[in-house]
């Protein structure tokens, strides 16, 4: 795992950073219909997960060739994540990505959405195989140095030995480092492996469709609030913010007890 410290841009930003921030601050309304049950189950798992290192979140993405549309979507979610956590508690997020042949990089922890988006606009997706094991090992190493609340991973396939991933995910579970995994698409092997990884880590896995970004934005916002301050901070923020944030808190269920 190498560190990425403001590398020269590989391409100009595809969109203006201010536009990302303006568009992504609002928390969308809760979904309805058949998908609502899966979303509610995911949020309940977030609510029930104890936080070992509030305030620090690792945000990891597959940046192989097929991922460019989802990479742009992930940039959209960043403003919502930070905006939702603002006033709740401190949130520092580290971007981790893999792409190409053996390239896996981690940036610094940042505390502003524009800083995160700035890093992300410098990255282009490149063909290559998945390197999920390297991401998990990196998360464990960072967690050993200073506790991390959670790992978020977004990807669509698994091209590694599942047992190796399960062993690392199980170690994460023992160290109280949950993985909240977002699986794009419907590839059945990836769905099975990623779901089991999340379960072993003490986290959760949720499928999403890149053509419907509101659900992903909403779920990531819930994880961000959890990382920043846990359940009590989320409830306090919801009482002040009202509206969609309050509805989101009610969907996560439970009373006033902490995570």
């Amino acid at each position: 795992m190498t560190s990425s410290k403001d590398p020269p841009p590989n391409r100009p930003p595809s969109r203006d950073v201010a536009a990302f921030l303006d568009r992504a601050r609002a928390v969308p309304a809760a979904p309805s219909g058949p998908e609502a049950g899966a979303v509610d189950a995911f949020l309940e798992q977030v609510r029930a997960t104890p936080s070992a290192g509030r305030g620090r979140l690792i945000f990891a993405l597959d940046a192989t060739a097929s991922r460019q549309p989802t990479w742009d979507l992930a940039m959209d979610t960043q403003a919502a994540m930070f905006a939702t956590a603002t006033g709740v508690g401190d949130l520092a997020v580290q971007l981790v990505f893999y792409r190409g042949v053996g390239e896996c990089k981690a940036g610094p922890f940042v505390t502003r959405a524009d800083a995160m988006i700035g890093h992300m606009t410098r990255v282009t997706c490149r063909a290559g195989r998945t390197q999920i094991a390297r991401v998990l090992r990196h998360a464990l190493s960072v967690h050993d140095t200073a506790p991390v609340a959670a790992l978020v991973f977004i990807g669509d396939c698994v091209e590694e030995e599942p047992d190796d991933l399960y062993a690392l995910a199980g170690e994460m579970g023992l160290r109280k480092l949950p993985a909240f995994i977002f699986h794009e698409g419907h590839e059945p092997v990836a769905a099975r492996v990623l779901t089991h990884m999340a379960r072993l880590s003490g986290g959760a896995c949720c499928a999403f469709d890149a053509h419907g970004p509101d659900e992903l934005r909403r779920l990531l916002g819930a994880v961000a609030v959890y990382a920043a301050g846990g359940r009590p901070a989320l409830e306090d923020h919801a009482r002040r913010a009202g509206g969609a944030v309050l509805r989101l808190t009610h969907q996560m269920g439970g009373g006033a007890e902490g995570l």
Side-chain angles (χ1 to χ4, degrees):
M1 177 71 65
T2 59
S3 177
S4 173
K5 296 184 178 179
D6 295 321
N10 292 322
R11 61 181 172 98
S14 60
R15 302 174 187 174
D16 181 72
V17 168
F20 277 113
L21 298 173
D22 291 341
R23 183 169 64 254
R25 291 189 193 281
V27 177
S32 59
E35 71 274 18
V39 172
D40 291 345
F42 181 88
L43 293 174
E44 175 60 25
Q45 182 62 45
V46 174
R47 186 199 68 79
T49 303
S51 176
R54 286 178 182 168
R56 282 160 49 92
L57 182 70
I58 295 176
F59 188 70
L61 296 101
D62 179 331
T64 53
S66 65
R67 309 298 300 153
Q68 192 64 56
T70 304
W71 187 272
D72 290 340
L73 170 60
M75 282 193 283
D76 263 330
T77 69
Q78 288 304 309
M81 288 177 64
F82 282 96
T84 305
T86 298
V88 174
D90 294 329
L91 179 67
V93 181
Q94 181 187 53
L95 173 67
V96 177
F97 67 90
Y98 58 79
R99 63 180 182 177
V101 181
E103 182 181 3
C104 190
K105 292 186 176 181
F109 278 92
V110 299
T111 57
R112 300 190 328 272
D114 58 346
M116 174 63 76
I117 294 169
H119 285 291
M120 296 183 75
T121 56
R122 295 180 174 92
V123 179
T124 52
C125 295
R126 299 176 184 169
R129 294 177 60 82
T130 65
Q131 300 178 61
I132 302 170
R134 290 185 69 179
V135 170
L136 301 187
R137 284 194 291 268
H138 168 75
L140 285 164
S141 177
V142 172
H143 188 61
D144 280 346
T145 302
V148 175
L151 165 71
V152 169
F153 173 71
I154 301 177
D156 64 347
C157 66
V158 176
E159 299 171 302
E160 299 162 67
E161 174 55 51
D163 286 346
D164 294 341
L165 300 176
Y166 297 157
L168 290 166
E171 188 172 352
M172 291 172 64
L174 291 173
R175 300 190 193 182
K176 308 302 182 185
L177 174 55
F180 296 107
I181 299 176
F182 298 88
H183 176 220
E184 182 187 2
H186 307 283
E187 206 287 309
V189 173
R192 183 171 64 252
V193 173
L194 294 174
T195 298
H196 193 48
M197 285 171 50
R199 184 180 303 115
L200 289 169
S201 75
C205 181
C206 191
F208 78 98
D209 182 348
H211 297 293
D214 285 352
E215 182 175 308
L216 178 63
R217 187 178 294 112
R218 176 172 168 270
L219 292 170
L220 286 170
V223 177
V225 169
Y226 157 75
R231 176 69 187 210
L234 174 60
E235 290 185 339
D236 179 66
H237 175 69
R239 282 191 292 269
R240 290 184 286 107
V245 177
L246 187 60
R247 292 194 298 272
L248 172 61
T249 307
H250 288 165
Q251 276 212 317
M252 293 176 76
E257 72 276 7
L259 284 171

